Amino acid sequence: MADRLAEVRLAPYTTLRLGGPARAFVEARSPDEIVGIVAGADREGEAVLILGGGSNLVVSDDGFDGLAVHVSSEGIDVAGDGERVVITVQAGEDWDALVARCVDEGWSGVECLSGIPGRVGSTPIQNVGAYGQEVAQTIVGVRVYDRTTGRTRDLTPAECGFAYRHSAFKDDPGRHVVLAVTYALHRSELSGPIAYKELAVRLGVKLGDRVPLAQARAAVLDLRRGKGMVLDSGDPDTRSAGSFFTNPILTAAQAADLGRRAPGHPRWEMPDGSGAVKVPAAWLIENAGFPKGYEKGAVRISTKHTLALTNPTGTASTRDLLALAREVRDGVHEKFGVLLVNEPVFVGVSL
């Protein structure tokens, strides 16, 4: 069994570089180790924090009064024949390294998810998505340890309850520990149909067109770098948790109210015919008076992307970050009547 360490600062394990110490910390390098460590902690009544790449995490300045389990399991199994390839990936594998391999191998389906930091185990929890793709489109199974039953289970996509930046894992946080994820991809040198206008413009193609995988990946990485969304130690704007707020989905009544407050605002009609619309949170934030580079003490909105809140000098506290987040949330609500919801997972704190 892996060694337990005491009072390990969690800030270096998060992309925000924020967070106090975990009372105990352990590195888990295999599925069996993960299950054994978590099951043992549960038997002892010890609180557990599952830690991957820390790219979607906001940790309290007081840290975590329990056991932080850093998931570092590795391994990729490849199966399938013909046009379909099925890959089962251990939770501790680096996500972008996996995407790069898929592009190199000619496995189509995740190329527009290039440059997203973090580890594979977090992808189904958040239903990670960008530039017209999301992992729900390719996930065919998730192996988990169910802490309620004490058993390992293989969940179907339906059981995962995928929705926009959401899943059943978020409805019952803490119950399931992701051990591995299985994706079904297509053997093709071409991307899936380009479904995001900004990416289509960058590629010089029409929506629905397909391009070589490497071309799609390069264009996505270029767009993300321009927004400070590719980790780079030389770029202080990347010291963030990515998009801090989700794009709100408004009911028909809420959309009508926003339309009265902000005629002509950008929106995307939801495909379910309910009259609901998705509104870009970045537009709401900017037009509520919070431009790129807006500062509050040691934290600021990214100079490249309005949705990212950053710790540019590495000297901020989580308390500082939340103060800015609340100011932005409350300002948007006051002007537009829309309540923004945080995208990152919070540990020991709340908005």
Side-chain angles (χ1 to χ4, degrees):
M1 191 68 71
D3 293 334
R4 286 171 60 117
L5 304 174
E7 297 298 320
V8 174
R9 287 185 64 243
L10 295 179
Y13 292 92
T14 73
T15 53
L16 268 166
R17 297 296 184 260
L18 295 175
R23 183 168 51 78
F25 181 97
V26 65
E27 199 88 32
R29 295 182 172 84
S30 73
D32 287 345
E33 275 200 346
I34 297 168
V35 172
I37 291 166
V38 173
D42 288 344
R43 285 193 299 271
E44 297 298 322
E46 185 174 29
V48 173
L49 171 65
I50 303 299
L51 183 62
S55 60
N56 197 46
L57 204 59
V58 178
V59 179
S60 163
D61 293 318
D62 294 330
F64 180 68
D65 186 20
L67 174 65
V69 181
H70 194 219
V71 175
S72 301
S73 52
E74 296 180 342
I76 301 173
D77 294 323
V78 182
D81 52 25
E83 295 183 356
R84 176 174 146 118
V85 59
V86 179
I87 59 173
T88 297
V89 188
Q90 296 303 309
E93 287 280 352
D94 180 80
W95 171 253
D96 191 53
L98 174 66
V99 175
R101 176 176 174 181
C102 291
V103 169
D104 289 343
E105 297 275 4
W107 301 338
S108 176
V110 293
E111 57 282 346
C112 294
L113 303 178
S114 293
I116 296 174
R119 300 190 177 185
V120 164
S122 66
T123 62
I125 296 171
Q126 190 70 13
N127 186 17
V128 165
Y131 296 105
Q133 284 184 343
E134 58 185 22
V135 293
Q137 296 166 338
T138 55
I139 288 177
V140 293
V142 180
R143 173 156 286 197
V144 300
Y145 172 63
D146 186 334
R147 296 170 66 189
T148 299
T149 64
R151 296 180 180 273
T152 297
R153 299 179 56 202
D154 291 303
L155 302 181
T156 66
E159 289 174 312
C160 292
F162 292 124
Y164 169 68
R165 301 297 181 272
H166 193 77
S167 70
F169 302 109
K170 297 181 79 171
D171 290 330
D172 194 0
R175 175 174 177 175
H176 296 106
V177 181
V178 175
L179 302 176
V181 187
T182 300
Y183 307 87
L185 307 173
H186 298 284
R187 296 186 192 274
S188 174
E189 295 300 322
L190 296 178
S191 69
I194 300 301
Y196 199 82
K197 183 177 180 180
E198 184 183 20
L199 180 58
V201 170
R202 179 60 61 97
L203 289 165
V205 301
K206 296 177 182 177
L207 288 172
D209 286 350
R210 303 174 73 195
V211 301
L213 291 175
Q215 187 178 342
R217 174 171 166 81
V220 168
L221 288 173
D222 190 42
L223 286 169
R224 290 184 66 86
R225 285 192 190 96
K227 298 174 182 178
M229 292 294 188
V230 176
L231 292 181
D232 179 354
S233 59
D235 182 356
D237 278 330
T238 70
R239 198 173 287 118
S240 77
S243 296
F244 198 89
F245 297 105
T246 59
N247 292 325
I249 297 176
L250 308 181
T251 65
Q254 291 170 327
D257 179 60
L258 179 58
R260 288 188 290 269
R261 295 173 184 248
H265 68 84
R267 61 170 66 192
W268 301 286
E269 303 291 335
M270 298 301 290
D272 58 7
S274 65
V277 301
K278 186 189 297 182
V279 180
W283 185 90
L284 294 169
I285 293 168
E286 188 112 21
N287 285 275
F290 303 100
K292 297 181 184 72
Y294 180 88
E295 293 184 340
K296 186 179 182 70
V299 293
R300 74 181 181 201
I301 294 175
S302 167
T303 63
K304 303 180 182 69
H305 183 35
T306 317
L307 269 182
L309 307 186
T310 69
N311 173 20
T313 64
T315 61
S317 65
T318 302
R319 189 176 296 104
D320 296 330
L321 181 82
L322 293 177
L324 175 58
R326 291 179 185 122
E327 182 180 355
V328 170
R329 179 200 61 186
D330 294 347
V332 168
H333 188 258
E334 181 178 354
K335 181 160 186 177
F336 295 116
V338 176
L339 186 64
L340 295 180
V341 175
N342 54 284
E343 185 167 330
V345 175
F346 285 0
V347 176
V349 294
S350 66
L351 279 183

